[in-house]
Amino acid sequence: MTIKAGDKMPSGTFTSPGPDGPQKVTTDQLFSGKKVVLFSVPGAFTPTCDARHLPGFIQHAADFKAKGVDTVACMAVNDVFVMKAWAKASAVEDKVMMLADGNAEYAKALGLELDATGFGMGIRGKRFAIVVDNGVASHVLVEGPGEFKVSSAEHVLGQL
């Protein structure tokens, strides 16, 4: 079943690059008592994700904070070391929290997994953005195949 607005976010754990190495981040730590924009990309360093999706959220980080968002988080079905390298290459700094969903467990829990085996990429997460208020999805914005519209930073800002 796919998550929809009004649903509680499923429980899960991500791995995030930290100053002392990989660290576990639970959904309770991420969402409890906070307003979070969680966006997902099919893969770090892939064309649209690298050129447009992540850069938009980096560019508009202050705009999200001004709208009351505590955390902007990028999720991808990649390992934590790839997410760390992508964050460094993209000059993410502290603007976007990078979350590795290495086995697509959270993408599956959301019902938003993507079968990219035809492209040699295995199971990934769809391109989406979810606005989460204290653990509840208030907006679920899922892209159609090959699209990049509703999960862009600019569109999500317009929804807040």
Side-chain angles (χ1 to χ4, degrees):
M1 180 189 261
T2 303
I3 191 160
K4 59 188 181 311
D7 288 349
K8 184 175 182 343
M9 295 295 283
S11 294
T13 303
F14 302 98
T15 308
S16 183
D20 299 320
Q23 60 186 27
K24 296 294 183 187
V25 177
T26 67
T27 49
D28 283 344
Q29 291 170 315
L30 182 61
F31 300 131
S32 186
K34 299 176 191 164
K35 186 171 196 168
V36 177
V37 173
L38 174 68
F39 71 99
S40 173
V41 298
F45 293 109
T46 57
T48 301
C49 308
D50 193 48
R52 297 174 57 204
H53 208 173
L54 178 59
F57 283 94
I58 295 168
Q59 178 185 349
H60 292 289
D63 300 326
F64 282 102
K65 294 283 184 205
K67 294 253 187 176
V69 173
D70 297 294
T71 304
V72 174
C74 175
M75 175 183 120
V77 179
N78 288 112
D79 67 66
V80 69
F81 304 105
V82 169
M83 295 301 281
K84 180 179 179 179
W86 193 30
K88 183 177 178 182
S90 301
V92 167
E93 299 167 359
D94 63 349
K95 296 174 183 166
V96 174
M97 177 184 272
M98 303 299 274
L99 301 173
D101 181 26
N103 294 320
E105 291 169 356
Y106 204 71
K108 290 175 185 174
L110 293 168
L112 293 172
E113 71 273 16
L114 167 69
D115 184 351
T117 55
F119 303 103
M121 295 172 65
I123 301 299
R124 298 292 178 125
K126 290 183 180 181
R127 185 181 307 282
F128 65 80
I130 301 175
V131 179
V132 183
D133 286 308
N134 193 25
V136 176
S138 63
H139 296 78
V140 179
L141 309 161
V142 183
E143 298 289 0
E147 292 186 346
F148 176 60
K149 299 174 186 169
V150 299
S151 67
S152 71
E154 295 79 8
H155 183 82
V156 175
L157 272 169
Q159 303 300 301
L160 299 175

